Amino acid sequence: MAQRATITQVAQRAGVSIASASRALNGLTSATATVEAVRAAARELGYIPDATARSLKLGRTLQLAYAVADIGNPVYVEMMAAIQEVVSGAGYRLLVTNTGDAAGTVDLVTSLQRGYADGMVLSPLRVTDELVAAVAQSPVPVVVLGRMPESAGVDTVAPDSAGGIALAVAHLHAIGARRIAFVNGPADTIPGRVRGGAFVAAAGPDAPVVSAADFTAAAGHAVAHALLSGPDRPDAVLAANDLLAIGVLHAADQLGLSTPDQLAVVGVDDTELGKLFRPALTSVDLGASERGRRAAELLLERLNDPHKKPQQVVVPAALSVRRSSDVKGEPMADDARAPHQQDQEGER
Amino acid sequence: MAQRATITQVAQRAGVSIASASRALNGLTSATATVEAVRAAARELGYIPDATARSLKLGRTLQLAYAVADIGNPVYVEMMAAIQEVVSGAGYRLLVTNTGDAAGTVDLVTSLQRGYADGMVLSPLRVTDELVAAVAQSPVPVVVLGRMPESAGVDTVAPDSAGGIALAVAHLHAIGARRIAFVNGPADTIPGRVRGGAFVAAAGPDAPVVSAADFTAAAGHAVAHALLSGPDRPDAVLAANDLLAIGVLHAADQLGLSTPDQLAVVGVDDTELGKLFRPALTSVDLGASERGRRAAELLLERLNDPHKKPQQVVVPAALSVRRSSDVKGEPMADDARAPHQQDQEGER
DNA sequence: ATGAAAGCGCTAACAC
DNA sequence: GTGTTAGCGCTTTCAT
């Protein structure tokens, strides 16, 4: 563990003042001879400028934070990977935090006042008034992944859940499904509410909807087993995410229902799991990676121009059709864009 | 975006010196009246101490870094979640970085000289002499996930790959497998080399081994299709990770081989994917979460005592037996501990 | 118990 | 082009 050299030592060794050393190192006006001497001294001493001191002086940390409720969730990981890439490309380091519950999220946003990061991408579990207030109060810009009232005055990036689910319902109708059921997650979550509402809008108020205890395969299996054993068995199921859909496939298999012939199944999120499962799962791609990328870009843009108008970006959805809903009627398009995506983004 | 208050303002408002304000806030010796006045002033101003200034003064950032080659890989994510939990519990923030290739890793370790973190958990793709040197030179402690020469003098946390693979081979023998093949990933990677070597050690030099182009299901499928179509078809396959194993299952299914009767399949890593796949995948659990936790703990311990002896921890492996290798002969134990785990950790 | 002052390492006026 | 100086916000001697 080597001892670190300071700019003072570099200056001494080069025989110049500290200011000259700083200038030479940062490429400001200085004589060629000075630059060389300083560079040499720095090299010999293995000098690397201290990030903390620099931050204190400059008023910026060159760090950005990504806060999310459950860092184990593949969708958030996908976003994180995209964010990490954009952010590091711009010379920033990425801080990752688990918010846990809703209260934790508010604390986290207020903690930004400590000034350990120049901005934050926040993926909140729920949007409370308290959270909106905290975000508005934040001393550094926050970009929210999800929707927020425009009055909050923050940049947001949201998926086009409604468009994506409409796409899935249309697809199921097209392959001849007569009775489409929706397997939702808990209705008191944001995705549960939004996706459930979108399904009703797309499939009509009479389409059957059941809610699983949480967004897991086990919960999906439990609720699907009942659904598929009961009267008026559906011939297609749209699940609120891929895990639930896998649970549905398990139940169908267990009950001896063949997929897709007797039961077509579609998920949401288009995860790796769905692609590798057999039968491969048709799924609504909500563009997690793209959302992460856009959020990071919006944050960087706002850092450059704090006064620009807040944007509400909606990332378009797509449908990846695979074996779990692929019957002869439908051509094997691997990808379809949402027709009614409401991308409200402005310039760029 | 509120303006942030400084300790100077708090001191003024409370009618005391800056030093007294600092002492009162940090719980050092000060009169009760002073404490109250300062607390009140701080509350009224919404004062929160600046992390950067504090870091500069204290010489510690309260940040730890986690560096990994591919942040999208579920195994690394599992480790990250565990690290995040330990680290944040101890009051540290977690910085996450993608190293990319091997050269990037060395740069990253040297970049620690910037002093933006108090320590690092490093999960290197390959261990080169250059990297060992960089780690040894690091101004802050580095804990390596993987093995390193003891002479490097750093704390390491490694999986017991050999023990885990021996467990899998023994299990396959126990269920009656006569001819066990190993589907490896690229042999020029660390896991490829270690796991391949462990298999040969456990199954003997005559056991068939093939190498896939990378650690993906597609690569596993390709190589397994050839393996299972050729002469001397194996009756069991151990794959170097779960993705490869899924590829093997795809190939078996495609060739009309029933699992586990005609072909038993076992993976390594015990991922969520394997648990949800049908047939559910038997897999060697290398304790990713536990490794992440131990690495973070070792880092914290070293921060507390920089002079303690470097430790080489080996986390025990276990076998999760599931349907893909579950034949009647074997009782349905869900979990078995490695008998020859070589846990070399010292105290604690 | 408290205040004055030094200083962490760096950058940016400012004057020469 | 370069040196002197101030100062980012905080903690911590050192006197008192």
Side-chain angles (χ1 to χ4, degrees):
Chain A
M1 307 214 209
Q3 245 346 285
R4 305 178 41 205
T6 74
I7 198 170
T8 311
Q9 297 168 29
V10 173
Q12 277 179 346
R13 184 170 190 118
V16 298
S17 75
I18 309 177
S20 292
S22 173
R23 276 188 294 254
L25 259 12
N26 290 322
L28 300 186
T29 57
S30 47
T32 323
T34 310
V35 174
E36 299 214 343
V38 172
R39 285 241 179 92
R43 198 175 332 110
E44 288 159 24
L45 292 172
Y47 169 76
I48 298 197
D50 182 76
T52 308
R54 204 152 195 280
S55 294
L56 181 59
K57 181 66 199 181
L58 297 181
R60 5 182 286 153
T61 58
L62 290 181
Q63 292 185 166
L64 264 23
Y66 173 50
V68 67
D70 174 18
I71 196 52
N73 186 316
V75 177
Y76 293 138
V77 171
E78 197 177 331
M79 289 181 177
M80 181 183 69
I83 293 171
Q84 151 78 38
E85 194 176 332
V86 173
V87 151
S88 73
Y92 285 84
R93 290 182 293 272
L94 184 66
L95 234 23
V96 174
T97 348
N98 239 345
T99 61
D101 58 359
T105 312
V106 173
D107 289 348
L108 198 72
V109 172
T110 34
S111 84
L112 280 174
Q113 300 208 37
R114 294 188 184 280
Y116 58 82
D118 299 339
M120 172 179 273
V121 174
L122 175 67
S123 191
L125 208 53
R126 305 182 204 297
V127 176
T128 62
D129 291 349
E130 209 186 348
L131 182 61
V132 172
V135 168
Q137 295 288 320
S138 170
V140 297
V142 174
V143 174
V144 173
L145 280 166
R147 290 171 200 270
M148 273 208 149
E150 193 163 350
S151 62
V154 298
D155 297 301
T156 63
V157 177
D160 181 15
S161 309
I165 284 181
L167 223 44
V169 170
H171 162 72
L172 289 171
H173 278 145
I175 64 168
R178 307 236 165 258
R179 187 170 164 77
I180 307 174
F182 189 66
V183 171
N184 203 356
D188 64 341
T189 59
I190 298 274
R193 201 151 36 70
V194 172
R195 296 174 189 190
F199 176 76
V200 172
D206 295 336
V209 173
V210 295
S211 283
D214 50 41
F215 283 99
T216 62
H221 175 271
V223 79
H225 195 280
L227 177 73
L228 301 176
S229 311
D232 286 334
R233 174 163 61 76
D235 53 5
V237 168
L238 174 57
N241 79 351
D242 276 6
L243 285 174
L244 290 170
I246 297 294
V248 174
L249 286 171
H250 285 171
D253 185 48
Q254 191 179 354
L255 294 170
L257 297 172
S258 71
T259 304
D261 310 298
Q262 291 174 281
L263 185 77
V265 177
V266 175
V268 173
D269 278 344
D270 203 31
T271 59
E272 197 62 21
L273 170 63
K275 294 174 194 163
L276 293 174
F277 200 84
R278 287 303 130 106
L281 181 66
T282 294
S283 191
V284 176
D285 178 4
L286 256 23
S289 182
E290 172 75 5
R291 277 181 281 154
R293 198 174 63 73
R294 289 296 286 127
E297 288 172 353
L298 277 181
L299 187 53
L300 292 175
E301 289 168 20
R302 178 151 307 283
L303 252 20
N304 284 334
D305 177 9
H307 299 299
K308 71 194 269 272
K309 182 159 164 287
Q311 296 185 20
Q312 276 83 43
V313 173
V314 175
V315 170
L319 185 69
S320 299
V321 177
R322 303 204 181 82
R323 189 77 191 105
S324 73
S325 75
D326 177 38
V327 297
K328 317 159 206 40
E330 171 115 339
M332 187 56 177
D334 183 48
D335 208 89
R337 288 281 136 194
H340 26 242
Q341 46 140 307
Q342 359 156 348
D343 194 331
Q344 307 164 9
E345 78 178 291
E347 76 264 35
R348 110 161 278 272
Chain B
M1 306 217 211
Q3 245 347 285
R4 305 178 41 205
T6 74
I7 198 171
T8 311
Q9 298 169 31
V10 173
Q12 276 180 347
R13 184 169 189 118
V16 299
S17 75
I18 308 178
S20 293
S22 173
R23 277 187 293 255
L25 257 12
N26 290 323
L28 300 186
T29 57
S30 47
T32 322
T34 310
V35 174
E36 299 215 343
V38 172
R39 284 240 179 93
R43 198 175 331 110
E44 289 159 23
L45 293 172
Y47 169 76
I48 299 197
D50 182 76
T52 307
R54 205 151 194 281
S55 294
L56 181 59
K57 182 67 200 177
L58 297 181
R60 2 182 289 153
T61 58
L62 290 181
Q63 293 186 164
L64 264 22
Y66 173 50
V68 68
D70 173 18
I71 195 51
N73 187 316
V75 177
Y76 293 138
V77 171
E78 199 177 332
M79 289 180 176
M80 181 182 69
I83 293 172
Q84 150 79 38
E85 194 176 333
V86 172
V87 150
S88 73
Y92 285 84
R93 290 182 293 272
L94 185 67
L95 232 23
V96 174
T97 349
N98 239 344
T99 60
D101 58 1
T105 312
V106 173
D107 290 347
L108 198 72
V109 173
T110 33
S111 84
L112 279 174
Q113 300 209 37
R114 293 186 184 284
Y116 57 81
D118 299 338
M120 171 178 274
V121 174
L122 175 67
S123 190
L125 206 54
R126 305 182 203 298
V127 176
T128 62
D129 291 348
E130 209 187 350
L131 182 61
V132 173
V135 167
Q137 294 288 321
S138 170
V140 298
V142 174
V143 174
V144 173
L145 280 167
R147 290 173 200 271
M148 272 208 150
E150 193 165 347
S151 61
V154 297
D155 297 301
T156 62
V157 178
D160 180 15
S161 309
I165 284 181
L167 222 45
V169 169
H171 162 71
L172 288 172
H173 278 144
I175 64 169
R178 306 238 166 256
R179 187 172 163 76
I180 307 175
F182 189 66
V183 171
N184 202 356
D188 64 342
T189 60
I190 297 275
R193 200 151 36 71
V194 172
R195 295 175 189 189
F199 176 77
V200 171
D206 295 336
V209 173
V210 295
S211 283
D214 50 40
F215 283 100
T216 62
H221 175 272
V223 79
H225 194 281
L227 176 74
L228 299 176
S229 311
D232 286 334
R233 174 161 60 75
D235 54 4
V237 168
L238 174 57
N241 79 350
D242 277 6
L243 285 174
L244 290 170
I246 297 293
V248 174
L249 286 171
H250 285 171
D253 184 49
Q254 192 179 354
L255 294 169
L257 297 171
S258 70
T259 303
D261 310 298
Q262 291 175 278
L263 185 77
V265 177
V266 174
V268 173
D269 278 345
D270 203 30
T271 59
E272 197 63 20
L273 170 63
K275 292 174 194 162
L276 293 175
F277 200 84
R278 286 306 131 103
L281 181 67
T282 294
S283 191
V284 175
D285 178 4
L286 257 21
S289 181
E290 172 74 4
R291 278 181 281 154
R293 196 175 64 72
R294 289 295 287 125
E297 288 172 353
L298 277 182
L299 187 53
L300 292 174
E301 288 167 20
R302 178 150 307 282
L303 254 18
N304 284 335
D305 177 9
H307 300 299
K308 71 194 269 270
K309 181 159 167 287
Q311 296 185 20
Q312 276 82 44
V313 173
V314 175
V315 170
L319 184 69
S320 299
V321 177
R322 303 204 180 82
R323 188 77 191 103
S324 73
S325 75
D326 176 39
V327 296
K328 317 158 208 38
E330 171 114 339
M332 185 58 176
D334 184 50
D335 208 271
R337 287 281 136 194
H340 25 241
Q341 46 141 306
Q342 359 157 345
D343 195 328
Q344 308 164 9
E345 77 179 292
E347 75 263 36
R348 111 163 278 272

